[in-house]
Amino acid sequence: MYEQKTKPTDSSVIEFIEQIDHPRKKEDAYRLLDLFTETTGREAVMWGPVIIGFGKYHYKYATGHGGDAPLVGFSPRKAKISLYVTVGNAEREPLLCRLGKHTSGKSCVYVNKLEDIDQDVLKEIILSSIATLEKAYPDGIE
């Protein structure tokens, strides 16, 4: 039976951020913590050892496989900052075009540093991501 690897933990978000060696990346992590907390109205929780998540939703695929994931989150990784957001298809490209310097995958946006992006657009992306997940999983949001 499949066991989900990335789960919420009792680890301290502040202790995790304090362990970041690079001063700018640490500063960006604190700024993102404030931005995500303010925008989502939810408390930050460590998901696994390196993801800071906000809120939670339960997903279930047609195959029957399911699990829990943060509504939105971020991880200040060594190479880039990973932003975990799932924006609806109609809103995705227009928002990302306005965000600033980034690369992206299906549900991740990668940035080098916060000064490269428009933080107001990031707030829009966070809210759009939550709205997309609330629509997709109306009974699974926490």
Side-chain angles (χ1 to χ4, degrees):
M1 177 111 189
Y2 171 79
E3 184 174 337
Q4 186 173 329
K5 293 177 186 164
T6 305
K7 302 182 227 181
T9 71
D10 292 331
S11 298
S12 166
V13 171
I14 299 301
E15 287 177 16
F16 169 69
I17 293 174
E18 281 300 314
Q19 293 175 7
I20 298 170
D21 290 332
H22 194 281
R24 187 192 71 228
K25 191 137 331 225
K26 183 185 290 188
E27 180 183 328
D28 282 353
Y30 275 118
R31 289 171 54 204
L32 283 169
L33 179 63
D34 289 344
L35 186 143
F36 273 78
T37 300
E38 174 187 309
T39 305
T40 66
R42 291 174 163 92
E43 185 177 330
V45 173
M46 290 301 301
W47 283 73
V50 297
I51 296 173
I52 300 170
F54 300 81
K56 179 168 87 169
Y57 72 99
H58 183 78
Y59 61 88
K60 192 164 189 175
Y61 298 126
T63 61
H65 169 76
D68 295 318
L71 282 173
V72 292
F74 70 93
S75 183
R77 300 182 186 268
K78 281 190 178 190
K80 294 185 181 228
I81 298 169
S82 300
L83 305 171
Y84 298 98
V85 291
T86 304
V87 178
N89 288 337
E91 299 94 15
R92 182 178 172 85
E93 286 311 311
L95 285 169
L96 291 179
C97 285
R98 295 177 29 232
L99 181 62
K101 185 178 175 183
H102 73 281
T103 56
S104 63
K106 185 174 182 178
S107 61
C108 277
V109 174
Y110 307 99
V111 299
N112 289 323
K113 54 190 182 287
L114 278 187
E115 67 186 37
D116 287 343
I117 62 170
D118 184 325
Q119 293 173 39
D120 288 330
V121 174
L122 177 55
K123 289 177 185 180
E124 288 180 56
I125 290 171
I126 291 167
L127 293 173
S128 179
S129 181
I130 292 170
T132 296
L133 292 170
E134 285 174 337
K135 185 175 182 183
Y137 304 101
D139 298 325
I141 304 293
E142 288 183 33

